[in-house]
Amino acid sequence: MKLVLIQKEAIDIDEVLNTGASNSDGSDLIFIGKVRDNSRGKSVTHIDYDIYNEMAVKELNKIADEASSNHELNRIIIIHRYGRVTLGETSIMILVSSPHRDSSYQASRYIIDEIKKRVPIWKKEFYTDGSEWISDRS
C-alpha cells in the first residue's frame, strides 16, 4: 500500500498509523519532522513551506516506488505539509511497514534523504528578528 499526500492541515498521526495496517508487518517505522524553536543560532517562530504541488506529488511517488523496489515493504505513507507550520507541529511524516525492521530503517532513511534532494519544497524560516529562505539540498 502506498499513500502520498501534500496537505495544509495538521497531520493526524494516529489516523496515519492505522491506515492500511497489516498483521504481516513486524515493523512500523515512523519518521516525524517537526518545527523546532532554533535554527542556525536564531530563535524560530514558525516556518512557511511552499510546494510545487504537481511535481512534488510526482517525485514523492517515484521515491516511494524506488524504496519499495529496493526494500521489502508492505506500506509506505508520506505526508508533507505546506503553508505555515508552527513550533512543535509536524511538517512531514513518513511511515514504512515491513516484515523486518532493517528494511523499514533503510527505506525510511532513503525516503527522507531523497525528499531533501529532489522534491520541490521550499521553506522560509521566521525568527524573532527576521526571516530567510533555507536550502536543505545536499
Side-chain angles (χ1 to χ4, degrees):
M1 183 237 160
K2 177 179 75 171
L3 176 64
V4 170
L5 297 172
I6 303 290
Q7 67 185 46
K8 194 167 191 172
E9 305 79 29
I11 298 170
D12 184 333
I13 295 166
D14 289 331
E15 181 180 328
V16 174
L17 186 58
N18 291 314
T19 299
S22 168
N23 288 331
S24 64
D25 293 329
S27 170
D28 289 332
L29 187 70
I30 300 171
F31 171 83
I32 296 173
K34 303 186 314 181
V35 176
R36 62 182 179 274
D37 65 358
N38 62 74
S39 177
R40 297 165 178 77
K42 297 181 180 187
S43 295
V44 175
T45 60
H46 62 278
I47 295 176
D48 282 352
Y49 288 93
D50 194 12
I51 295 178
Y52 179 5
N53 194 34
E54 287 178 11
M55 185 179 254
V57 169
K58 183 178 178 180
E59 201 62 31
L60 288 169
N61 274 295
K62 280 185 193 176
I63 292 167
D65 290 343
E66 291 163 6
S68 185
S69 69
N70 292 321
H71 303 283
E72 186 182 358
L73 302 176
N74 294 330
R75 179 169 59 150
I76 300 173
I77 300 175
I78 305 170
I79 304 172
H80 203 300
R81 291 186 60 194
Y82 67 89
R84 181 155 296 174
V85 183
T86 59
L87 293 179
E89 287 188 317
T90 299
S91 56
I92 184 171
M93 180 176 178
I94 299 167
L95 181 141
V96 290
S97 299
S98 66
H100 306 285
R101 69 179 176 270
D102 191 49
S103 293
S104 293
Y105 277 111
Q106 289 182 36
S108 180
R109 180 62 184 242
Y110 175 81
I111 291 167
I112 191 61
D113 287 349
E114 292 302 307
I115 288 170
K116 295 284 190 177
K117 290 179 200 172
R118 297 166 39 187
V119 179
I121 299 172
W122 303 273
K123 70 179 181 181
K124 187 173 187 179
E125 289 184 345
F126 288 81
Y127 314 110
T128 53
D129 65 348
S131 64
E132 68 181 307
W133 288 97
I134 303 299
S135 173
D136 285 333
R137 305 281 186 245
S138 305

